[in-house]
Amino acid sequence: MNELTIELSAEDGKCLYEQIYEYIRKEIREGKLLQDEKLPSTRALASFLQVSRSTVELAYEQLLSEGYIEAIPYKGYFVCRMEELYHIEARAEEEEREKKRQDEKYEIDFSPNGIEMEYFPYGAWKRISKNTLIDDRKEMFALGSPQGDFELRSTIAKYLHGSRGVNCFPEQIIVGAGNDFLLMLLEKILGRHVKIGMEAKTYKRAYRIFNSFAYEIHPIRQDGAGIVVEELEKSGVSAVYVMPSHQFPTGNVMPIGRRTELLKWAYEKEERYIIEDDYDSEFRYKGKPIPSLQASDKMEKVIYIGTFSKAIAPAIRISFMVLPKRLLKYYKENLSFYSSTVSRIDQMILNEFIKDGYFERYLNKMRKVYKSKHDLLVGECRKMENLFELSGENAGLHVLLRSRKGKTEKELIESAAGCGIKVYGLSDGYITEEKEETNTVLLGYGGLSEEEIKRGMEQLKKAWSE
Amino acid sequence: MNELTIELSAEDGKCLYEQIYEYIRKEIREGKLLQDEKLPSTRALASFLQVSRSTVELAYEQLLSEGYIEAIPYKGYFVCRMEELYHIEARAEEEEREKKRQDEKYEIDFSPNGIEMEYFPYGAWKRISKNTLIDDRKEMFALGSPQGDFELRSTIAKYLHGSRGVNCFPEQIIVGAGNDFLLMLLEKILGRHVKIGMEAKTYKRAYRIFNSFAYEIHPIRQDGAGIVVEELEKSGVSAVYVMPSHQFPTGNVMPIGRRTELLKWAYEKEERYIIEDDYDSEFRYKGKPIPSLQASDKMEKVIYIGTFSKAIAPAIRISFMVLPKRLLKYYKENLSFYSSTVSRIDQMILNEFIKDGYFERYLNKMRKVYKSKHDLLVGECRKMENLFELSGENAGLHVLLRSRKGKTEKELIESAAGCGIKVYGLSDGYITEEKEETNTVLLGYGGLSEEEIKRGMEQLKKAWSE
């Protein structure tokens, strides 16, 4: 082969070599140029395409460096063996395309994971970043404490005490690049073969993570107050994962009685621990803020995990874990050789952002923004009171609707999809083998504008009233 | 008690409330104020110290929020129960003080972990950070791909191909917050109960990490060419951890023959894999650069791990792992729900830093800087040729000296310490139960100035000539 019919365009905004490179790359990826196939020589292709030889050489170099083609001396350029990768990629791409096609069907997506980034004080964040970098503190390029900078940990301890009633010393805090990493570290602290209890409907991501450990996961029955402690007791687990301030997906808040029962369970045996994931406790719209479970813990039994990904921005990969003192001791003696996963510059920026009051102001702003969206959504939901029972509406960024007419989750999702609206099934959160058929859907509103919420709810009313 | 004799100073640079807060905090931490002890009332202390009552209140608030004291209504302020934490902290502090005392004895520390940060292009890094933040790309605050941004992975793939001969697609790269995290992720990919071979003298940090997994570690005998493959075969392990380009601590480079043997070992069974840690391959002073082992791998058997912490700065928590396609497939299907641990802003800054050529220029600069230090050190070592055999001198940031006169490692370290110089024992790297008595010490020079190297070597000559 010495001809590749590439349509080169001067107006494409891309230089010629890039266009050649991308064309060949696409041909290889799509399997149109096959393994071991010979490419035209640079001279031949250049003359064929009427471009300079160095343009073709540049394109080939790029393909070489990325491993798409190989050069065999005195023979020429050949397409590399890459079936396997091709399969992986092709499938991944196919899935992505499929997802996109699916998503395009939807005009409005009531995703419970959506968050609003419109009001983030980008300006302040940038200014602090700039100032942090201007200070000629070269130590910020040196490796810091494995637990995170002491200043940031002090700031977090203070913030947690003030806003969530968490009692801890900065020494007990480990700062890490996201909850997933902190759970991986916790695996090393708690040991490899832990029996862990989780509510039967829970946060799927945490379930997947525990599942990737050697943990034995026991789904525990839950009622309106949260995990049923007698069942927990019976299951024989030594650790339990809960979200007392706002359970996902049910939206329930664990009342004080159940909290006391749960703590009592943990107090009874030395090896028992409660993992409290306080993922979106910042947002509560009714009544007084509810303190964390950790705040009521008198015997160092609660491992508290929180994140700035939800309240600041998902790309800010900073989470934190508060360890009870016995676990802290184990960590310090056995695991503190694990280096910190958060860059010191980021730690300093976040520290300033909180200390200078931006974080609090931003949270206050967002509480108002989310409350306004929440009130709008809840108001619209109430108009369908004859059809649906509303719950989980006092906190967080989603509500639940249960059909009073016996419509199944599947039916509700499908009729919504028919009107271009995406809603989510409660059963997505099930970790039991058999998924109960539910009559409940989740509506998240964090990432939608008020206009979208209004429009979406109108469509849903139409879809569900028939 | 209602008196606390706090010496307040107006010149201390700290405001009064901070001085009060720090004094009381110290008293509590050092056990001078005991659990349940009552603090003076704010009124009493204010009058005693001749400061305003609000100053004392501010100090107490801080102590309250950090959990050092508690307020009991109608009774006053009391010191919290904190024996346990006190013990942990007290010991950690004691250890730190001890280490400091030890280090203060040393005028010059030939640490093999030291690196030079004097020439880092802080200006360029700051400029790129600023520009990255100025672009109003809000998506950089959204959560990115679990493997890292595709742009950065493409840049890394290209860099690795050009400088290390690594053959990979950007799709095979996982970017993570440090090697430790990547090894944790690799644990999930390879499985929980892997038998892993490591050279008997190896990188202790990697050993500690594997040890914190459920991995069965087999120390394998090594000779001048590296790991002995027959012994590896006999040990029955399925994975092996090596540093072919520059073994730590021996400084050996694995010759092509041994590389072929090692690859052949891996080719023989499907489950066998080689973990190549290419930790400081950027620095080589003699001969041509040695390509990575991954470059010679024809059967997707090498898991390649590299980091920017050594070549850029330890605080830049960005490492990367290149997965063979079979493992990549497993990762994509089972583990890609683990979120990325590196913030997108940091990924974008690093990407620009490499793409704009700063990284290459900085590496070139550092090669010169380190070569100059290296040549100086090696020259000084050669002056003691009658006493010591030099090795490991063509790459990396440390050399080894073996006593020809039968002096033990311990004797060498001690006599050096007598002159205020810290050198390191080869046996620190032993992972076998019984540490062989060696006659070899390690001298790192990355973090020392030329002047310090000269002065240090003069002292060592004195210490070791007697």
Side-chain angles (χ1 to χ4, degrees):
Chain A
M1 181 189 77
N2 52 22
E3 287 180 13
L4 282 171
T5 324
I6 307 176
E7 281 183 47
L8 297 176
S9 144
E11 286 100 62
D12 201 10
K14 277 176 188 161
C15 44
L16 292 173
Y17 100 86
E18 259 187 292
Q19 295 181 43
I20 299 171
Y21 153 75
E22 284 183 357
Y23 178 87
I24 300 177
R25 184 168 176 268
K26 191 161 157 280
E27 294 285 291
I28 296 175
R29 279 168 171 249
E30 291 178 354
K32 289 172 193 160
L33 282 172
L34 294 172
Q35 167 190 349
D36 298 332
E37 194 160 337
K38 195 183 173 198
L39 291 183
S41 71
T42 52
R43 199 188 39 74
L45 187 59
S47 117
F48 177 73
L49 295 175
Q50 301 275 302
V51 298
S52 84
R53 195 165 161 190
S54 65
T55 299
V56 177
E57 278 169 356
L58 217 54
Y60 278 23
E61 255 170 46
Q62 180 80 11
L63 290 163
L64 273 170
S65 79
E66 292 184 10
Y68 286 99
I69 62 174
E70 57 186 334
I72 301 179
Y74 308 112
K75 289 197 168 165
Y77 295 95
F78 294 83
V79 176
C80 286
R81 188 171 62 91
M82 53 174 301
E83 319 94 293
E84 244 178 304
L85 183 73
Y86 173 69
H87 288 310
I88 299 173
E89 269 188 70
R91 221 195 34 215
E93 270 174 31
E94 185 46 48
E95 275 167 17
E96 217 161 278
R97 264 200 299 275
E98 182 53 34
K99 208 186 153 298
K100 230 179 189 165
R101 266 200 296 276
Q102 293 283 342
D103 286 350
E104 272 163 16
K105 281 196 335 202
Y106 297 110
E107 199 193 325
I108 291 164
D109 182 350
F110 281 95
S111 164
N113 299 317
I115 67 164
E116 174 72 80
M117 285 298 295
E118 193 57 37
Y119 303 96
F120 183 70
Y122 295 97
W125 189 269
K126 288 174 195 175
R127 212 163 38 246
I128 295 171
S129 306
K130 226 173 83 182
N131 292 341
T132 305
L133 286 162
I134 277 169
D135 290 354
D136 244 330
R137 291 185 283 181
K138 281 184 187 158
E139 83 268 15
M140 69 192 174
F141 286 93
L143 190 59
S145 152
Q147 289 183 241
D149 279 3
F150 193 82
E151 288 77 23
L152 175 61
R153 286 188 278 138
S154 301
T155 303
I156 292 174
K158 228 159 109 179
Y159 163 68
L160 284 180
H161 188 77
S163 75
R164 310 289 309 125
V166 169
N167 293 308
C168 72
F169 297 92
E171 286 83 352
Q172 287 172 268
I173 295 179
I174 300 176
V175 172
N179 285 20
D180 302 3
F181 167 76
L182 289 175
L183 289 176
M184 276 168 125
L185 192 62
L186 188 58
E187 180 198 12
K188 310 285 174 239
I189 298 172
L190 289 179
R192 281 166 206 135
H193 301 289
V194 171
K195 286 187 192 172
I196 189 167
M198 297 183 89
E199 285 143 317
K201 291 187 285 285
T202 189
Y203 184 44
K204 230 14 185 320
R205 174 178 209 78
Y207 171 77
R208 286 203 195 99
I209 290 170
F210 291 133
N211 211 23
S212 79
F213 302 166
Y215 281 16
E216 199 180 300
I217 302 175
H218 292 251
I220 310 284
R221 194 166 63 82
Q222 66 201 132
D223 58 20
I227 198 158
V228 176
V229 178
E230 298 97 76
E231 308 259 329
L232 187 68
E233 178 74 48
K234 269 189 241 156
S235 71
V237 301
S238 64
V240 63
Y241 172 89
V242 285
M243 297 160 274
S245 302
H246 188 230
Q247 210 267 352
F248 192 89
T250 64
N252 289 332
V253 176
M254 196 183 283
I256 185 72
R258 185 62 56 87
R259 287 175 185 232
T260 311
E261 252 187 279
L262 186 59
L263 285 170
K264 228 183 110 209
W265 168 84
Y267 293 167
E268 270 162 20
K269 286 193 180 166
E270 201 187 327
E271 70 274 17
R272 288 185 180 168
Y273 283 102
I274 300 166
I275 304 168
E276 174 177 24
D277 187 347
D278 210 23
Y279 72 106
D280 74 350
S281 57
E282 291 86 359
F283 304 115
R284 183 155 181 81
Y285 313 112
K286 213 176 161 180
K288 281 202 292 185
I290 296 164
S292 66
L293 183 65
Q294 204 267 9
S296 314
D297 176 18
K298 300 287 175 217
M299 286 180 69
E300 304 273 337
K301 282 299 189 180
V302 174
I303 300 154
Y304 179 92
I305 295 181
T307 180
F308 291 104
S309 296
K310 199 103 183 172
I312 298 189
I316 308 298
R317 306 303 300 148
I318 306 186
S319 292
F320 47 89
M321 173 160 73
V322 180
L323 287 181
K325 285 159 192 166
R326 198 163 69 96
L327 298 180
L328 177 69
K329 191 160 173 278
Y330 182 83
Y331 163 80
K332 286 221 178 209
E333 288 171 2
N334 299 284
L335 295 161
S336 59
F337 61 84
Y338 275 107
S339 310
S340 170
T341 44
V342 185
S343 96
R344 292 192 78 184
I345 301 173
D346 292 353
Q347 295 187 46
M348 287 177 190
I349 296 172
L350 178 60
N351 188 38
E352 293 298 318
F353 189 77
I354 302 174
K355 273 179 65 182
D356 292 356
Y358 290 107
F359 183 53
E360 212 184 315
R361 280 199 293 279
Y362 180 54
L363 276 185
N364 287 337
K365 171 81 191 162
M366 290 317 292
R367 279 191 198 106
K368 273 184 214 140
V369 169
Y370 286 141
K371 182 171 190 323
S372 171
K373 291 184 186 190
H374 164 270
D375 291 353
L376 175 65
L377 181 74
V378 166
E380 294 299 317
C381 289
R382 291 243 160 89
K383 291 183 190 160
M384 294 191 278
E385 212 150 26
N386 56 326
L387 300 174
F388 292 98
E389 185 189 346
L390 177 72
S391 66
E393 77 273 26
N394 292 329
L397 301 176
H398 75 278
V399 298
L400 290 87
L401 288 179
R402 193 183 65 81
S403 168
R404 296 187 199 270
K405 307 290 182 191
K407 284 209 178 168
T408 66
E409 172 188 311
K410 204 165 158 255
E411 286 166 349
L412 293 170
I413 293 172
E414 278 172 7
S415 52
C419 294
I421 308 295
K422 190 163 191 182
V423 298
Y424 293 77
L426 177 62
S427 69
D428 289 352
Y430 270 111
I431 59 168
T432 39
E433 294 266 307
E434 297 198 3
K435 286 191 184 180
E436 224 176 279
E437 175 75 82
T438 88
N439 306 101
T440 305
V441 289
L442 266 67
L443 270 68
Y445 51 88
L448 297 177
S449 70
E450 299 203 1
E451 208 277 312
E452 285 170 321
I453 294 174
K454 226 179 275 174
R455 207 142 38 86
M457 288 307 292
E458 266 162 34
Q459 296 290 345
L460 285 179
K461 255 176 276 175
K462 260 187 243 162
W464 290 341
S465 301
E466 281 152 18
Chain B
M1 182 189 75
N2 52 22
E3 285 180 13
L4 283 170
T5 323
I6 308 175
E7 280 184 48
L8 298 174
S9 145
E11 286 99 61
D12 201 9
K14 277 177 190 159
C15 44
L16 292 173
Y17 100 86
E18 260 186 292
Q19 295 180 44
I20 298 172
Y21 153 75
E22 283 181 359
Y23 177 86
I24 299 177
R25 183 168 176 268
K26 192 160 154 283
E27 294 286 292
I28 296 175
R29 279 166 171 251
E30 291 177 356
K32 287 172 193 161
L33 280 173
L34 294 173
Q35 168 190 345
D36 299 331
E37 194 161 336
K38 192 181 174 201
L39 291 182
S41 70
T42 52
R43 202 189 37 76
L45 186 59
S47 118
F48 178 73
L49 295 174
Q50 301 275 302
V51 298
S52 84
R53 195 165 161 190
S54 65
T55 300
V56 178
E57 278 168 355
L58 217 55
Y60 278 21
E61 256 168 46
Q62 180 80 11
L63 292 162
L64 271 171
S65 79
E66 291 183 13
Y68 287 99
I69 63 173
E70 57 185 333
I72 301 179
Y74 309 111
K75 289 193 169 170
Y77 295 94
F78 294 83
V79 175
C80 288
R81 187 169 62 91
M82 53 176 300
E83 318 94 292
E84 245 177 302
L85 182 74
Y86 173 69
H87 286 310
I88 300 174
E89 269 189 70
R91 221 194 35 216
E93 269 174 30
E94 185 46 47
E95 275 167 18
E96 216 160 277
R97 265 200 299 274
E98 182 54 32
K99 208 186 153 301
K100 231 180 187 165
R101 267 199 295 277
Q102 293 280 344
D103 287 349
E104 271 162 16
K105 282 195 337 203
Y106 298 109
E107 200 193 324
I108 290 163
D109 182 351
F110 281 94
S111 163
N113 299 318
I115 68 165
E116 174 71 83
M117 285 297 296
E118 193 57 37
Y119 303 96
F120 182 71
Y122 296 98
W125 188 270
K126 287 174 194 173
R127 210 161 41 245
I128 295 171
S129 306
K130 227 174 82 181
N131 292 342
T132 305
L133 285 163
I134 278 170
D135 289 355
D136 243 330
R137 291 186 284 180
K138 283 187 185 154
E139 83 270 15
M140 71 192 172
F141 285 94
L143 190 61
S145 152
Q147 289 183 241
D149 278 2
F150 194 81
E151 289 76 24
L152 175 62
R153 286 188 278 138
S154 300
T155 304
I156 292 174
K158 228 159 113 180
Y159 163 69
L160 285 180
H161 188 78
S163 75
R164 310 289 308 124
V166 169
N167 292 309
C168 73
F169 297 92
E171 285 83 352
Q172 287 171 268
I173 295 178
I174 299 176
V175 171
N179 286 18
D180 302 2
F181 167 76
L182 289 175
L183 289 176
M184 277 168 125
L185 192 61
L186 189 58
E187 181 198 10
K188 309 286 173 236
I189 297 172
L190 290 179
R192 284 168 204 133
H193 300 289
V194 171
K195 285 187 191 174
I196 189 165
M198 297 184 87
E199 285 143 318
K201 292 188 283 288
T202 189
Y203 183 44
K204 232 7 186 327
R205 174 182 209 76
Y207 171 77
R208 284 204 196 100
I209 289 170
F210 292 133
N211 212 21
S212 78
F213 302 167
Y215 281 16
E216 198 180 301
I217 303 175
H218 292 251
I220 311 284
R221 194 165 62 83
Q222 66 201 133
D223 59 19
I227 199 157
V228 176
V229 178
E230 300 97 76
E231 307 258 331
L232 187 67
E233 177 75 46
K234 267 188 244 157
S235 70
V237 301
S238 64
V240 63
Y241 172 90
V242 287
M243 296 159 274
S245 303
H246 187 232
Q247 209 268 350
F248 193 91
T250 65
N252 289 332
V253 176
M254 194 182 284
I256 184 73
R258 185 62 56 87
R259 287 175 184 232
T260 312
E261 251 186 280
L262 186 59
L263 285 170
K264 230 184 107 207
W265 167 84
Y267 294 167
E268 270 162 19
K269 286 193 179 163
E270 200 187 327
E271 69 275 18
R272 286 184 180 168
Y273 283 101
I274 301 166
I275 303 167
E276 174 177 26
D277 187 349
D278 209 25
Y279 72 108
D280 75 351
S281 56
E282 291 87 359
F283 305 115
R284 182 156 181 79
Y285 314 112
K286 214 176 162 181
K288 282 202 291 184
I290 296 163
S292 65
L293 182 65
Q294 203 268 7
S296 315
D297 176 17
K298 300 287 175 220
M299 284 180 70
E300 304 272 339
K301 282 299 189 180
V302 175
I303 299 154
Y304 179 91
I305 294 181
T307 178
F308 291 104
S309 296
K310 200 102 183 171
I312 297 188
I316 308 298
R317 307 304 300 150
I318 307 186
S319 293
F320 47 88
M321 172 159 75
V322 180
L323 287 182
K325 285 161 194 165
R326 199 165 67 96
L327 297 181
L328 177 68
K329 191 161 172 275
Y330 182 83
Y331 163 81
K332 286 220 177 207
E333 287 172 2
N334 298 284
L335 295 161
S336 59
F337 61 83
Y338 274 107
S339 311
S340 171
T341 44
V342 186
S343 95
R344 295 192 77 184
I345 301 174
D346 292 355
Q347 295 188 47
M348 287 178 190
I349 296 172
L350 177 61
N351 187 38
E352 293 299 318
F353 189 77
I354 302 173
K355 274 180 64 184
D356 292 355
Y358 290 107
F359 182 53
E360 212 184 317
R361 281 198 292 279
Y362 180 54
L363 276 184
N364 287 338
K365 172 77 191 165
M366 291 317 294
R367 280 192 197 103
K368 274 184 213 142
V369 170
Y370 286 140
K371 183 173 190 322
S372 172
K373 292 184 185 189
H374 164 270
D375 291 354
L376 175 67
L377 181 76
V378 166
E380 294 299 318
C381 289
R382 292 241 160 89
K383 290 183 188 159
M384 294 191 280
E385 212 150 25
N386 57 327
L387 299 174
F388 292 98
E389 186 190 345
L390 178 72
S391 66
E393 76 274 25
N394 293 329
L397 301 175
H398 75 278
V399 300
L400 289 88
L401 288 178
R402 195 183 64 79
S403 169
R404 297 186 198 272
K405 307 291 182 190
K407 284 210 178 167
T408 66
E409 171 188 311
K410 203 166 159 251
E411 287 166 347
L412 293 169
I413 291 172
E414 277 172 8
S415 53
C419 293
I421 308 294
K422 188 163 192 181
V423 298
Y424 293 77
L426 177 61
S427 68
D428 288 351
Y430 271 112
I431 58 166
T432 40
E433 292 267 307
E434 297 198 2
K435 286 192 184 181
E436 225 175 276
E437 176 75 82
T438 88
N439 305 103
T440 306
V441 289
L442 266 68
L443 270 66
Y445 51 88
L448 297 176
S449 70
E450 300 203 1
E451 208 278 312
E452 285 170 322
I453 294 173
K454 227 178 275 175
R455 209 144 35 89
M457 288 307 292
E458 267 161 35
Q459 296 290 346
L460 285 178
K461 256 176 277 176
K462 261 188 243 164
W464 290 341
S465 301
E466 278 152 20

